[in-house]
Amino acid sequence: MNLESMYQEIILDHYKNPHGRGLRDPYDAESFQVNPTCGDEVTLRVKVTDGKIADVSYDGQGCSISQAATSVLTDLVTGHTVDEAFTTMDAFVELMQGKGKIEPDEDVLEDGIAFAGVAKYPARVKCALLGWMAFKDAVSRTTTGAEKA
């Protein structure tokens, strides 16, 4: 199995077996985001406790890339401080904006490296970033994360 096939398997696995899917209570803030070019939708809730991302849950519909990227997001930020979560988000955004020329750091992005190939297709980059934009917006709506976003 080549690297690209392995990455596709990771994306499909997160799409078929999503992590964090299903909106949960309690939460501090919620964000609804739509990608108007393709119709993907994500509603994401975040709970921040003592400066840490205590919980992220989401619901949505759309392509495998948008839904899988949001599933990966929940794994990457839950249990981390807001600063750590935004550092990870910055690494993912940099990867997506790198047009396939940035070597992802597996220690930081874990399953997020599977989206390295997506960065070659500008129309798909917005799909991969949809959940992350909802996360950034939701954290900015919390009293503890407003100054960070």
Side-chain angles (χ1 to χ4, degrees):
M1 176 181 290
N2 68 29
L3 193 59
E4 191 167 317
S5 294
M6 187 178 78
Y7 286 172
Q8 290 172 351
E9 289 291 323
I10 291 170
I11 291 171
L12 286 175
D13 185 52
H14 273 277
Y15 179 66
K16 292 177 181 175
N17 306 295
H19 303 178
R21 189 171 183 94
L23 296 173
R24 289 187 292 276
D25 290 320
Y27 65 96
D28 294 322
E30 178 179 282
S31 177
F32 173 72
Q33 300 289 317
V34 176
N35 182 348
T37 58
C38 65
D40 291 350
E41 297 179 1
V42 169
T43 300
L44 185 140
R45 290 179 176 173
V46 65
K47 173 76 177 156
V48 179
T49 304
D50 298 328
K52 285 192 171 184
I53 307 298
D55 189 39
V56 177
S57 63
Y58 74 98
D59 199 5
Q61 60 183 10
C63 68
S64 60
I65 292 171
S66 69
Q67 302 304 301
T70 307
S71 173
V72 169
L73 174 158
T74 66
D75 290 346
L76 291 174
V77 302
T78 303
H80 293 273
T81 68
V82 171
D83 285 341
E84 291 168 341
F86 280 150
T87 298
T88 302
M89 181 182 75
D90 290 345
F92 191 81
V93 170
E94 181 182 16
L95 176 65
M96 288 299 97
Q97 293 176 342
K99 300 179 180 177
K101 296 178 180 170
I102 292 181
E103 188 67 32
D105 185 343
E106 187 173 359
D107 291 337
V108 174
L109 293 177
E110 300 175 12
D111 280 356
I113 64 170
F115 295 87
V118 173
K120 297 175 187 172
Y121 306 98
R124 309 310 295 183
V125 168
K126 287 184 179 179
C127 300
L129 292 175
L130 185 66
W132 288 96
M133 295 305 104
F135 173 74
K136 181 179 179 180
D137 183 49
V139 172
S140 73
R141 294 170 187 252
T142 68
T143 56
T144 55
E147 69 278 1
K148 304 290 182 186

